[in-house]
Amino acid sequence: MTGQKLSTELLQNEIDHLKKQVATLKNAIAIQKKKEEETLEKQARYETLFEHADDAIFFETDLEDIVDVNEGACKMFGYSRDELLRMKSSQLFHSDGFSLSIYSNPALGSEIPVEMTGVRKDSSTISLEYTITPLISGRNTVFMFIIRDITKRKVAEKALQKSEEKYRSILETIEDGYYEINLSGDITFYNSSLSKMIGYPDVEVLGLNYKKFTDRKNGQKLNHFFNDVFENQQPVKGVEWELIRKDLEKQFMESSVSLIRDENRNITGFCGILRDVTNRKKAEEELKTTQEHLMQSKKMAALGELVAGVAHEINTPIGIGVTGMSTLEDRTKAIVALYEQDDLSKEEFELYLKTVIDASQAVLSNLHRAADLIRTFKLVAVDQSSEDHRKFKFKEYLNDIIMSMQPKLKKTNHQIEVNCPEDLELVSYPGAFSRIITNLIINSLVHGFEEIDKGKIVFDLSVNQDYLIMRYSDNGKGISPDVLEKIFDPFFTTKRGQGGTGLGMHIVYNLVTQTLNGKIKCSSTPGNGTQFLITIPIK
């Protein structure tokens, strides 16, 4: 029994060992099957990639015999598969750049593609880049060519190069300076005009910070504009600032500022045009000075006319007063003589008293008239020659201005109508209003009522909330559209050579918009008179 039990145990051990071997074999078979499936799957993927790749792929021996190609190679070179398998790879490239020895080809094993010109079946050429990878199989080495058509890219690169050359040519021929700076303000690109403007040699310009050729104040001004462009992402034009050249000469510049972005649309810096406006600024200053002199001359000329007109007006009442007093003096002497001779009758004395009363009344009336003229002249003359800010009653002041212009108005049949609230009081610049009103009336007399015997001027004044509304109109001949659009331009006149300076309406515009901070608009059509709408803040 003991021997039988031992035999049974040995048999069971053998069975268990066999089971383990069977299990190991099954596992090995499963692993091998899985590897075979993976290999087949990889092969299928490779074949799909090989056949459907846009790039040309072919294999050749070290003798340049092509042993396999994909469909992409057939499409790229225009040959059939069978035709390519009967060819050598050197036949597909220009021989002047292709190495006859595969081992000396620069593309062999290189990670960077090599560019080459390919030759298609129809003899047309295409731009290519390719790599060569050696594949060792046993004792034989097969080389895999992966070739990409870069013809379109090369055409684009050539067009870009041509565009860049044209761009550079334009930049080098323009008189304006062109600059590109990084976010730190250092120059990264520029044209020759820029280096001439700032007075630095070319070797010193690249990397130069813009703050090096301006002072602190202008540097802060430029920095403000750069920040504004960066934050709003909108270009800015017409930035005026003062440049200091390397030789310390100062010049006035006008710049534009735009953003520079990389291929990912990230902001990397700024670019723009720099224009020298020194001569323009000097001309503007000279023009401004000339205009101020002319405006002052016109103001004084108007004041001179006012003086001459008032002097003429005063002559009449003063003359009447002198005549009245002279007559009274003669009559008094005669009465005194009669009295001394004791020959003065009651009738003669009563007649003398009547003469005294009449003469006194005439003299007093005309002296009052002269005093009113002098008061008006004094008020208007002082206001026209000063910029005092004071309180005044508008309607009363407007009537004083019109009275001061009587020497001009009384020679005509023209009428002036004033529609203004009696209680309208302003705290403003009466001198500005005086010059505005005077110029408007003179403009109507000289231009609007030319060849018109009886014209009418109307002033309509009202207050709308915090604004004084002045509507001035005449029923003159009107203004043509081409003249209307230039009516406020300095030195524009239709009376050139006839005493016109072209500054009257320009002065009115400046007084309304600058001195009084208001707005003025002119409307007119030929034959329908002219209207001015003036709006002035009064609080």
Side-chain angles (χ1 to χ4, degrees):
M1 290 296 292
T2 302
Q4 186 178 3
K5 183 178 180 180
L6 180 61
S7 176
T8 302
E9 289 178 356
L10 290 173
L11 180 60
Q12 186 61 48
N13 289 337
E14 286 293 330
I15 291 172
D16 291 339
H17 179 68
L18 287 174
K19 284 182 178 180
K20 287 180 181 179
Q21 286 183 332
V22 169
T24 302
L25 182 60
K26 282 183 177 180
N27 187 51
I29 291 172
I31 292 172
Q32 182 64 30
K33 186 177 180 181
K34 185 177 180 180
K35 287 182 178 179
E36 289 176 356
E37 289 175 352
E38 289 176 351
T39 302
L40 290 173
E41 186 179 349
K42 288 180 180 178
Q43 184 176 353
R45 286 202 300 264
Y46 166 75
E47 288 177 354
T48 300
L49 177 64
F50 179 73
E51 288 300 331
H52 295 89
D54 291 331
D55 294 340
I57 303 174
F58 62 82
F59 299 89
E60 70 168 42
T61 66
D62 55 0
L63 298 177
E64 298 181 7
D65 294 321
I66 299 175
V67 295
D68 197 8
V69 297
N70 69 343
E71 185 63 26
C74 298
K75 292 179 180 179
M76 186 176 292
F77 290 97
Y79 291 97
S80 68
R81 189 185 193 90
D82 291 337
E83 288 175 323
L84 286 173
L85 293 177
R86 294 194 298 268
M87 297 174 64
K88 293 182 179 295
S89 59
S90 59
Q91 294 176 259
L92 301 175
F93 301 94
H94 272 308
S95 60
D96 57 350
F98 191 80
S99 173
L100 294 178
S101 172
I102 191 70
Y103 295 104
S104 60
N105 194 304
L108 182 62
S110 173
E111 294 181 358
I112 301 175
V114 175
E115 292 187 3
M116 184 64 66
T117 302
V119 182
R120 289 172 50 83
K121 183 177 180 179
D122 60 6
S123 299
S124 62
T125 59
I126 50 177
S127 296
L128 305 172
E129 65 178 17
Y130 68 100
T131 59
I132 304 175
T133 304
L135 305 174
I136 299 174
S137 177
R139 295 181 180 180
N140 299 319
T141 302
V142 177
F143 299 92
M144 180 176 68
F145 281 68
I146 299 179
I147 306 169
R148 177 164 295 172
D149 187 345
I150 59 170
T151 304
K152 290 182 179 179
R153 192 185 81 190
K154 296 297 286 185
V155 170
E157 288 176 353
K158 188 175 182 180
L160 179 61
Q161 182 182 3
K162 187 176 181 181
S163 176
E164 288 178 347
E165 290 173 354
K166 183 178 180 181
Y167 172 67
R168 166 59 76 175
S169 176
I170 292 172
L171 286 180
E172 290 302 325
T173 54
I174 62 174
E175 294 183 1
D176 294 336
Y178 176 80
Y179 69 90
E180 292 181 7
I181 61 173
N182 58 26
L183 294 177
S184 299
D186 303 323
I187 296 176
T188 58
F189 183 79
Y190 65 97
N191 66 349
S192 57
S193 293
L194 181 84
S195 61
K196 291 176 183 177
M197 284 180 177
I198 64 178
Y200 285 80
D202 285 339
V203 293
E204 297 181 22
V205 176
L206 203 61
L208 188 68
N209 193 280
Y210 70 88
K211 293 180 181 178
K212 290 288 186 180
F213 43 84
T214 189
D215 58 21
R216 183 177 180 181
K217 180 180 177 182
N218 284 275
Q220 290 175 343
K221 182 178 182 180
L222 288 175
N223 187 59
H224 167 75
F225 281 107
F226 286 133
N227 287 336
D228 187 51
V229 172
F230 185 89
E231 291 175 2
N232 297 323
Q233 300 194 15
Q234 293 292 330
V236 173
K237 297 180 180 179
V239 179
E240 292 190 356
W241 56 287
E242 192 175 64
L243 178 145
I244 303 176
R245 289 167 48 87
K246 187 176 183 180
D247 59 10
L248 302 183
E249 180 185 349
K250 295 183 178 181
Q251 294 180 329
F252 289 101
M253 294 291 155
E254 184 179 82
S255 301
S256 64
V257 181
S258 300
L259 291 173
I260 298 177
R261 298 178 184 269
D262 61 16
E263 60 275 9
N264 297 319
R265 301 295 296 165
N266 296 318
I267 299 172
T268 59
F270 306 92
C271 65
I273 295 293
L274 192 65
R275 178 168 294 170
D276 188 343
V277 294
T278 305
N279 291 334
R280 191 191 76 190
K281 293 292 286 185
K282 289 180 179 178
E284 287 175 353
E285 287 298 322
E286 291 175 0
L287 178 61
K288 183 179 179 181
T289 302
T290 301
Q291 286 181 338
E292 289 175 352
H293 285 321
L294 285 173
M295 290 174 71
Q296 186 65 23
S297 298
K298 186 172 180 63
K299 186 195 297 184
M300 298 311 295
L303 194 59
E305 287 186 10
L306 180 61
V307 171
V310 170
H312 177 76
E313 286 296 302
I314 289 176
N315 279 339
T316 301
I318 294 297
I320 293 173
V322 170
T323 301
M325 291 305 296
S326 177
T327 301
L328 185 59
E329 181 184 24
D330 291 341
R331 292 293 298 149
T332 300
K333 288 178 179 180
I335 290 298
V336 169
L338 290 173
Y339 176 76
E340 290 176 349
Q341 296 173 9
D342 198 22
D343 195 19
L344 180 62
S345 66
K346 180 181 179 182
E347 292 79 6
E348 287 177 324
F349 184 69
E350 290 176 349
L351 181 62
Y352 169 72
L353 291 178
K354 185 177 183 304
T355 302
V356 170
I357 292 171
D358 292 343
S360 297
Q361 289 177 343
V363 169
L364 186 60
S365 173
N366 281 277
L367 286 178
H368 277 308
R369 183 183 172 195
D372 287 340
L373 287 170
I374 292 171
R375 180 190 60 79
T376 301
F377 162 72
K378 182 179 178 182
L379 181 65
V380 174
V382 169
D383 282 339
Q384 284 198 1
S385 59
S386 68
E387 299 296 339
D388 286 341
H389 190 263
R390 63 179 176 85
K391 186 176 182 180
F392 60 98
K393 292 185 177 180
F394 197 89
K395 185 173 184 180
E396 181 181 320
Y397 188 69
L398 177 55
N399 287 327
D400 286 342
I401 295 169
I402 294 171
M403 181 183 291
S404 72
M405 298 189 69
Q406 283 303 312
K408 285 184 176 293
L409 293 170
K410 74 176 187 178
K411 299 176 183 178
T412 70
N413 295 318
H414 307 314
Q415 296 178 346
I416 297 180
E417 179 182 319
V418 176
N419 301 314
C420 178
E422 295 288 344
D423 59 349
L424 177 58
E425 279 191 343
L426 299 181
V427 178
S428 187
Y429 297 93
F433 281 102
S434 174
R435 279 175 275 162
I436 290 168
I437 293 165
T438 300
N439 276 296
L440 288 174
I441 294 174
I442 290 175
N443 187 68
S444 293
L445 296 179
V446 174
H447 300 281
F449 297 149
E450 186 178 21
E451 299 179 357
I452 294 177
D453 293 331
K454 191 174 183 179
K456 185 176 183 180
I457 293 171
V458 178
F459 285 92
D460 278 312
L461 291 109
S462 61
V463 175
N464 184 0
Q465 295 181 346
D466 295 337
Y467 291 90
L468 172 70
I469 310 298
M470 179 192 294
R471 291 180 174 86
Y472 174 93
S473 61
D474 68 42
N475 62 349
K477 65 180 185 179
I479 305 172
S480 62
D482 58 322
V483 173
L484 184 63
E485 67 181 14
K486 301 176 183 178
I487 192 167
F488 297 122
D489 290 356
F491 307 113
F492 175 76
T493 179
T494 58
K495 296 290 185 181
R496 186 75 64 195
Q498 302 176 43
T501 63
L503 285 174
M505 288 298 99
H506 180 63
I507 291 172
V508 169
Y509 181 83
N510 283 342
L511 289 170
V512 171
T513 59
Q514 296 180 23
T515 304
L516 301 176
N517 296 319
K519 297 179 181 178
I520 182 170
K521 181 180 179 181
C522 179
S523 57
S524 180
T525 53
N528 294 308
T530 301
Q531 301 81 39
F532 288 90
L533 175 62
I534 299 173
T535 306
I536 296 168
I538 55 177
K539 290 185 180 179

